[in-house]
Amino acid sequence: MEQAVIDTIYVDGEFVIPHGTELFDLHNPASGKVIGQVRLADEVDTELAVAAAKRALPEWSATSREDRIDALRRLREAVVARREELLEASRIEYGAPVRNEWMVDSAVGAFDGMISTLEAFAFVREVGSATVEMVPVGVSGLITPWNSNVFFIADKVATALAAGCTTVVKPSEMSATQTQIMTQAIHEADLPRGVVNVVTGRGEVVGTTLTRHPDVPRISFTGSTGVGKVIFRESAEHLKSLTLELGGKSPSIILDDADLEAAVPGALFSGFVNSGQACVAGTRILVPEGRVEEAIEIAVKHMSEFPVGDPSDPATVIGPMVSERQWERVQSYIHRGVEEGARILVGGAGRPEGLQDGYFVRPTLFADVTNDMTIAREEIFGPVLSILTYRDEDHAVEIANDSEFGLHAYVFSADSERAHRVASRLQAGRVSINGGYEPISPFGGFKNSGIGREYGAYGLEGFLEVRSVMK
Ligand code: NDP
């Protein structure tokens, strides 16, 4: 890949040089070396993008279901055509292991999911004698993080367009190369001008302009809980429609009847997904106290299945952290865990042997963790997992729910009815039983994990206003 300056943003159907002049360094997290720069957009650029989206809205919001499905199909094909390029950029700019092909395939899946949702969606419903019409909310600001850049852009754009909204995307500047390729794909899909605009710049600059803008009635945000609360406050002035997908501290509950040889590696897998940089990571592994020694033995044995290393090596499961800042954040939590009395079973602070460059951390497993410890309460966003014990099912549920977050949970049991019973007591937006997964089921959190839901029909409704017409 060339080491270049990305010096265009995408406004009104064209790649243009931004008014903003700040240059931001892009790093390869596996080496720590600078691989390029991106020229950041500013308030002026954001205003132009919002104006373009506003101009495009009347025509786009009047398109038929078939037109929108057609557009989503073209977007899907354009992303498929750039699959290898996107995977390479995800590896070089983010440190995604080559085996993580889902980094791009999930984006393709987002278009598939929204096409099937749109095919079946009822935009007009009858309620009593009234006709209820679901109408596009308008220009939508889509603000995304760096940890699954291609997917987040695809998912939010697909849903907004399906609803008839036009968009201004504000991605993380750390993902500028991936965003640029994604934007080229969007351009190749030949949408009407201004329907999708992409403005890479700082959150406090571009993001804030969007969240305060009177012509942007909707914000869909994925990122940290702290920034989510800032956006909530900023959006209050115009009472915007909001979806906030925020952080998590998800429990993996292994019930006492579970086959530990299957459940424990399943729990590790859910914790180490995306090198631990995942809001859905199952970072609190809850095991029955009577089986903790057995669970620890199995967990330690299976840790070798999660090797950290060069992202271009097909054997690598855990790549580097995205940035030095993220590396330091993870280190500070490992130190904190030790200070507060947790016991390191595998891993620990510092860099893994042979990986002294770049932002690699040692995949770390703690035991003797109690739910009041910092490592059990705060989102680490790295490959650091904790084993906690519980007395009985009620206690497991109590620990699982004793969190400011409620994004995801995992339950492992030999008895699926029992697992479902436990799931129905959990304060979490999604519960996976024995690894179960459904991409178009609603996604979002309870409590500090957010507001609203994404994916499928529930996600689509977030981009729609409801009008009752009574005769
Ligand atoms: P941040 O919240 O720091 O940033 C997310 C996005 O918001 C970035 O594009 C950022 O821009 C932008 N932003 C920052 N400040 C503002 C602001 N004041 N107004 C508007 N936009 C702003 O998160 P990270 O990028 O660090 O991502 C990691 C976090 O995201 C984790 O906490 C994780 O849990 C969460 N996350 C949640 C998911 C979910 O679906 N629930 C999924 C994935 C991640 P800039 O880069 O310029 O700061």
mmCIF file of all heavy atoms in Angstrom, residues 71-86 104 108 111 181-190:
data_model
loop_
_atom_site.group_PDB
_atom_site.id
_atom_site.type_symbol
_atom_site.label_atom_id
_atom_site.label_comp_id
_atom_site.label_asym_id
_atom_site.label_seq_id
_atom_site.Cartn_x
_atom_site.Cartn_y
_atom_site.Cartn_z
ATOM 1 N N ALA A 71 -30.365 0.482 -4.969
ATOM 2 C CA ALA A 71 -29.182 1.234 -4.518
ATOM 3 C C ALA A 71 -28.368 0.403 -3.525
ATOM 4 O O ALA A 71 -27.132 0.369 -3.595
ATOM 5 C CB ALA A 71 -29.617 2.547 -3.881
ATOM 6 N N LEU A 72 -29.051 -0.290 -2.617
ATOM 7 C CA LEU A 72 -28.329 -1.114 -1.626
ATOM 8 C C LEU A 72 -27.597 -2.262 -2.327
ATOM 9 O O LEU A 72 -26.489 -2.630 -1.938
ATOM 10 C CB LEU A 72 -29.291 -1.661 -0.569
ATOM 11 C CG LEU A 72 -29.946 -0.622 0.354
ATOM 12 C CD1 LEU A 72 -30.833 -1.305 1.400
ATOM 13 C CD2 LEU A 72 -28.906 0.236 1.064
ATOM 14 N N ARG A 73 -28.227 -2.803 -3.380
ATOM 15 C CA ARG A 73 -27.553 -3.885 -4.133
ATOM 16 C C ARG A 73 -26.278 -3.348 -4.797
ATOM 17 O O ARG A 73 -25.242 -4.003 -4.802
ATOM 18 C CB ARG A 73 -28.486 -4.454 -5.208
ATOM 19 C CG ARG A 73 -29.625 -5.265 -4.631
ATOM 20 C CD ARG A 73 -30.030 -6.436 -5.547
ATOM 21 N NE ARG A 73 -31.016 -7.247 -4.854
ATOM 22 C CZ ARG A 73 -32.337 -7.211 -5.090
ATOM 23 N NH1 ARG A 73 -32.810 -6.424 -6.044
ATOM 24 N NH2 ARG A 73 -33.160 -7.973 -4.403
ATOM 25 N N ARG A 74 -26.379 -2.147 -5.363
ATOM 26 C CA ARG A 74 -25.188 -1.572 -6.013
ATOM 27 C C ARG A 74 -24.081 -1.299 -4.986
ATOM 28 O O ARG A 74 -22.911 -1.540 -5.244
ATOM 29 C CB ARG A 74 -25.567 -0.264 -6.749
ATOM 30 C CG ARG A 74 -26.519 -0.455 -7.918
ATOM 31 C CD ARG A 74 -26.473 0.709 -8.890
ATOM 32 N NE ARG A 74 -26.740 2.007 -8.285
ATOM 33 C CZ ARG A 74 -27.953 2.515 -8.037
ATOM 34 N NH1 ARG A 74 -29.042 1.810 -8.339
ATOM 35 N NH2 ARG A 74 -28.091 3.710 -7.501
ATOM 36 N N LEU A 75 -24.489 -0.804 -3.825
ATOM 37 C CA LEU A 75 -23.498 -0.560 -2.766
ATOM 38 C C LEU A 75 -22.829 -1.869 -2.351
ATOM 39 O O LEU A 75 -21.614 -1.951 -2.187
ATOM 40 C CB LEU A 75 -24.181 0.084 -1.549
ATOM 41 C CG LEU A 75 -24.462 1.583 -1.662
ATOM 42 C CD1 LEU A 75 -25.506 2.011 -0.634
ATOM 43 C CD2 LEU A 75 -23.182 2.395 -1.475
ATOM 44 N N ARG A 76 -23.654 -2.899 -2.189
ATOM 45 C CA ARG A 76 -23.127 -4.204 -1.793
ATOM 46 C C ARG A 76 -22.075 -4.686 -2.795
ATOM 47 O O ARG A 76 -20.981 -5.108 -2.407
ATOM 48 C CB ARG A 76 -24.277 -5.210 -1.715
ATOM 49 C CG ARG A 76 -23.854 -6.590 -1.338
ATOM 50 C CD ARG A 76 -24.938 -7.615 -1.645
ATOM 51 N NE ARG A 76 -24.604 -8.898 -1.055
ATOM 52 C CZ ARG A 76 -23.768 -9.769 -1.600
ATOM 53 N NH1 ARG A 76 -23.175 -9.507 -2.745
ATOM 54 N NH2 ARG A 76 -23.509 -10.919 -0.990
ATOM 55 N N GLU A 77 -22.437 -4.608 -4.087
ATOM 56 C CA GLU A 77 -21.513 -5.099 -5.116
ATOM 57 C C GLU A 77 -20.225 -4.280 -5.137
ATOM 58 O O GLU A 77 -19.134 -4.810 -5.352
ATOM 59 C CB GLU A 77 -22.190 -5.089 -6.504
ATOM 60 C CG GLU A 77 -23.309 -6.116 -6.633
ATOM 61 C CD GLU A 77 -22.945 -7.465 -5.983
ATOM 62 O OE1 GLU A 77 -21.884 -8.022 -6.314
ATOM 63 O OE2 GLU A 77 -23.712 -7.944 -5.116
ATOM 64 N N ALA A 78 -20.355 -2.980 -4.923
ATOM 65 C CA ALA A 78 -19.164 -2.112 -4.932
ATOM 66 C C ALA A 78 -18.240 -2.461 -3.767
ATOM 67 O O ALA A 78 -17.009 -2.432 -3.902
ATOM 68 C CB ALA A 78 -19.594 -0.650 -4.853
ATOM 69 N N VAL A 79 -18.812 -2.819 -2.622
ATOM 70 C CA VAL A 79 -17.982 -3.211 -1.470
ATOM 71 C C VAL A 79 -17.349 -4.580 -1.737
ATOM 72 O O VAL A 79 -16.162 -4.793 -1.468
ATOM 73 C CB VAL A 79 -18.809 -3.205 -0.161
ATOM 74 C CG1 VAL A 79 -18.030 -3.824 0.994
ATOM 75 C CG2 VAL A 79 -19.225 -1.771 0.191
ATOM 76 N N VAL A 80 -18.137 -5.497 -2.313
ATOM 77 C CA VAL A 80 -17.593 -6.823 -2.646
ATOM 78 C C VAL A 80 -16.399 -6.662 -3.595
ATOM 79 O O VAL A 80 -15.360 -7.309 -3.427
ATOM 80 C CB VAL A 80 -18.686 -7.723 -3.284
ATOM 81 C CG1 VAL A 80 -18.075 -8.977 -3.892
ATOM 82 C CG2 VAL A 80 -19.739 -8.098 -2.241
ATOM 83 N N ALA A 81 -16.516 -5.751 -4.557
ATOM 84 C CA ALA A 81 -15.437 -5.554 -5.532
ATOM 85 C C ALA A 81 -14.162 -5.034 -4.866
ATOM 86 O O ALA A 81 -13.066 -5.213 -5.392
ATOM 87 C CB ALA A 81 -15.899 -4.572 -6.616
ATOM 88 N N ARG A 82 -14.294 -4.398 -3.734
ATOM 89 C CA ARG A 82 -13.119 -3.849 -3.046
ATOM 90 C C ARG A 82 -12.768 -4.647 -1.778
ATOM 91 O O ARG A 82 -12.038 -4.156 -0.909
ATOM 92 C CB ARG A 82 -13.363 -2.379 -2.701
ATOM 93 C CG ARG A 82 -13.352 -1.513 -3.942
ATOM 94 C CD ARG A 82 -13.454 -0.058 -3.632
ATOM 95 N NE ARG A 82 -13.323 0.732 -4.839
ATOM 96 C CZ ARG A 82 -12.181 1.251 -5.278
ATOM 97 N NH1 ARG A 82 -11.063 1.063 -4.597
ATOM 98 N NH2 ARG A 82 -12.151 1.968 -6.371
ATOM 99 N N ARG A 83 -13.291 -5.869 -1.707
ATOM 100 C CA ARG A 83 -13.103 -6.679 -0.504
ATOM 101 C C ARG A 83 -11.625 -6.841 -0.112
ATOM 102 O O ARG A 83 -11.244 -6.595 1.028
ATOM 103 C CB ARG A 83 -13.751 -8.047 -0.735
ATOM 104 C CG ARG A 83 -13.670 -8.979 0.454
ATOM 105 C CD ARG A 83 -14.425 -10.277 0.155
ATOM 106 N NE ARG A 83 -14.413 -11.158 1.301
ATOM 107 C CZ ARG A 83 -13.430 -12.020 1.568
ATOM 108 N NH1 ARG A 83 -12.389 -12.119 0.760
ATOM 109 N NH2 ARG A 83 -13.501 -12.783 2.636
ATOM 110 N N GLU A 84 -10.790 -7.237 -1.087
ATOM 111 C CA GLU A 84 -9.378 -7.510 -0.755
ATOM 112 C C GLU A 84 -8.672 -6.235 -0.306
ATOM 113 O O GLU A 84 -7.883 -6.242 0.642
ATOM 114 C CB GLU A 84 -8.648 -8.121 -1.968
ATOM 115 C CG GLU A 84 -9.212 -9.468 -2.404
ATOM 116 C CD GLU A 84 -9.405 -10.447 -1.241
ATOM 117 O OE1 GLU A 84 -8.478 -10.594 -0.421
ATOM 118 O OE2 GLU A 84 -10.496 -11.045 -1.138
ATOM 119 N N GLU A 85 -8.983 -5.142 -1.004
ATOM 120 C CA GLU A 85 -8.370 -3.852 -0.664
ATOM 121 C C GLU A 85 -8.772 -3.417 0.758
ATOM 122 O O GLU A 85 -7.955 -2.918 1.534
ATOM 123 C CB GLU A 85 -8.920 -2.827 -1.674
ATOM 124 C CG GLU A 85 -7.950 -1.789 -2.138
ATOM 125 C CD GLU A 85 -8.656 -0.842 -3.103
ATOM 126 O OE1 GLU A 85 -9.536 -1.286 -3.885
ATOM 127 O OE2 GLU A 85 -8.348 0.344 -3.055
ATOM 128 N N LEU A 86 -10.045 -3.627 1.068
ATOM 129 C CA LEU A 86 -10.525 -3.256 2.400
ATOM 130 C C LEU A 86 -9.905 -4.125 3.483
ATOM 131 O O LEU A 86 -9.539 -3.651 4.560
ATOM 132 C CB LEU A 86 -12.055 -3.347 2.457
ATOM 133 C CG LEU A 86 -12.797 -2.215 1.750
ATOM 134 C CD1 LEU A 86 -14.261 -2.575 1.517
ATOM 135 C CD2 LEU A 86 -12.704 -0.909 2.542
ATOM 136 N N VAL A 104 -14.785 -7.308 6.738
ATOM 137 C CA VAL A 104 -15.432 -6.784 5.523
ATOM 138 C C VAL A 104 -16.701 -7.579 5.203
ATOM 139 O O VAL A 104 -17.715 -6.997 4.795
ATOM 140 C CB VAL A 104 -14.441 -6.812 4.337
ATOM 141 C CG1 VAL A 104 -15.126 -6.365 3.053
ATOM 142 C CG2 VAL A 104 -13.245 -5.906 4.638
ATOM 143 N N VAL A 108 -20.718 -6.487 4.021
ATOM 144 C CA VAL A 108 -21.538 -7.019 2.922
ATOM 145 C C VAL A 108 -22.847 -7.551 3.501
ATOM 146 O O VAL A 108 -23.940 -7.304 2.973
ATOM 147 C CB VAL A 108 -20.757 -8.128 2.163
ATOM 148 C CG1 VAL A 108 -21.630 -8.768 1.089
ATOM 149 C CG2 VAL A 108 -19.482 -7.554 1.561
ATOM 150 N N PHE A 111 -25.558 -4.961 4.163
ATOM 151 C CA PHE A 111 -26.401 -4.612 3.002
ATOM 152 C C PHE A 111 -27.430 -5.717 2.756
ATOM 153 O O PHE A 111 -28.609 -5.436 2.516
ATOM 154 C CB PHE A 111 -25.537 -4.381 1.754
ATOM 155 C CG PHE A 111 -24.717 -3.126 1.842
ATOM 156 C CD1 PHE A 111 -23.335 -3.174 1.945
ATOM 157 C CD2 PHE A 111 -25.335 -1.873 1.859
ATOM 158 C CE1 PHE A 111 -22.577 -2.001 2.060
ATOM 159 C CE2 PHE A 111 -24.591 -0.699 1.976
ATOM 160 C CZ PHE A 111 -23.215 -0.768 2.076
ATOM 161 N N ILE A 181 -11.338 3.945 1.002
ATOM 162 C CA ILE A 181 -11.688 2.853 0.077
ATOM 163 C C ILE A 181 -13.205 2.646 0.093
ATOM 164 O O ILE A 181 -13.846 2.473 -0.949
ATOM 165 C CB ILE A 181 -10.950 1.554 0.455
ATOM 166 C CG1 ILE A 181 -9.441 1.782 0.410
ATOM 167 C CG2 ILE A 181 -11.353 0.411 -0.470
ATOM 168 C CD1 ILE A 181 -8.626 0.681 1.072
ATOM 169 N N MET A 182 -13.765 2.685 1.285
ATOM 170 C CA MET A 182 -15.222 2.534 1.429
ATOM 171 C C MET A 182 -15.942 3.651 0.666
ATOM 172 O O MET A 182 -16.958 3.423 0.005
ATOM 173 C CB MET A 182 -15.524 2.610 2.930
ATOM 174 C CG MET A 182 -16.791 2.042 3.406
ATOM 175 S SD MET A 182 -17.079 0.368 2.911
ATOM 176 C CE MET A 182 -18.792 0.282 3.380
ATOM 177 N N THR A 183 -15.401 4.848 0.746
ATOM 178 C CA THR A 183 -16.034 5.986 0.071
ATOM 179 C C THR A 183 -15.947 5.820 -1.446
ATOM 180 O O THR A 183 -16.887 6.160 -2.180
ATOM 181 C CB THR A 183 -15.373 7.310 0.523
ATOM 182 O OG1 THR A 183 -15.354 7.343 1.939
ATOM 183 C CG2 THR A 183 -16.147 8.511 0.010
ATOM 184 N N GLN A 184 -14.807 5.295 -1.913
ATOM 185 C CA GLN A 184 -14.710 5.039 -3.354
ATOM 186 C C GLN A 184 -15.785 4.040 -3.780
ATOM 187 O O GLN A 184 -16.422 4.206 -4.824
ATOM 188 C CB GLN A 184 -13.311 4.516 -3.706
ATOM 189 C CG GLN A 184 -12.303 5.655 -3.798
ATOM 190 C CD GLN A 184 -10.871 5.208 -3.525
ATOM 191 O OE1 GLN A 184 -10.619 4.050 -3.155
ATOM 192 N NE2 GLN A 184 -9.933 6.126 -3.688
ATOM 193 N N ALA A 185 -16.009 3.028 -2.939
ATOM 194 C CA ALA A 185 -17.057 2.042 -3.247
ATOM 195 C C ALA A 185 -18.426 2.737 -3.293
ATOM 196 O O ALA A 185 -19.231 2.502 -4.203
ATOM 197 C CB ALA A 185 -17.056 0.917 -2.212
ATOM 198 N N ILE A 186 -18.666 3.602 -2.333
ATOM 199 C CA ILE A 186 -19.951 4.321 -2.300
ATOM 200 C C ILE A 186 -20.109 5.158 -3.571
ATOM 201 O O ILE A 186 -21.164 5.179 -4.202
ATOM 202 C CB ILE A 186 -20.036 5.195 -1.020
ATOM 203 C CG1 ILE A 186 -20.189 4.304 0.215
ATOM 204 C CG2 ILE A 186 -21.187 6.209 -1.115
ATOM 205 C CD1 ILE A 186 -20.012 5.005 1.553
ATOM 206 N N HIS A 187 -19.015 5.807 -3.974
ATOM 207 C CA HIS A 187 -19.050 6.638 -5.191
ATOM 208 C C HIS A 187 -19.378 5.780 -6.414
ATOM 209 O O HIS A 187 -20.176 6.172 -7.272
ATOM 210 C CB HIS A 187 -17.694 7.323 -5.353
ATOM 211 C CG HIS A 187 -17.621 8.252 -6.524
ATOM 212 N ND1 HIS A 187 -18.376 9.414 -6.603
ATOM 213 C CD2 HIS A 187 -16.910 8.194 -7.686
ATOM 214 C CE1 HIS A 187 -18.125 10.027 -7.738
ATOM 215 N NE2 HIS A 187 -17.239 9.303 -8.414
ATOM 216 N N GLU A 188 -18.767 4.592 -6.462
ATOM 217 C CA GLU A 188 -18.984 3.704 -7.616
ATOM 218 C C GLU A 188 -20.412 3.160 -7.663
ATOM 219 O O GLU A 188 -20.877 2.712 -8.704
ATOM 220 C CB GLU A 188 -17.970 2.543 -7.570
ATOM 221 C CG GLU A 188 -16.605 2.990 -8.044
ATOM 222 C CD GLU A 188 -15.457 2.241 -7.376
ATOM 223 O OE1 GLU A 188 -15.687 1.169 -6.788
ATOM 224 O OE2 GLU A 188 -14.323 2.758 -7.446
ATOM 225 N N ALA A 189 -21.109 3.204 -6.548
ATOM 226 C CA ALA A 189 -22.492 2.694 -6.527
ATOM 227 C C ALA A 189 -23.452 3.672 -7.212
ATOM 228 O O ALA A 189 -24.634 3.358 -7.385
ATOM 229 C CB ALA A 189 -22.938 2.428 -5.102
ATOM 230 N N ASP A 190 -22.941 4.833 -7.583
ATOM 231 C CA ASP A 190 -23.690 5.762 -8.418
ATOM 232 C C ASP A 190 -25.034 6.189 -7.812
ATOM 233 O O ASP A 190 -26.082 6.111 -8.452
ATOM 234 C CB ASP A 190 -23.908 5.096 -9.805
ATOM 235 C CG ASP A 190 -24.172 6.131 -10.874
ATOM 236 O OD1 ASP A 190 -23.814 7.304 -10.673
ATOM 237 O OD2 ASP A 190 -24.791 5.760 -11.907
#
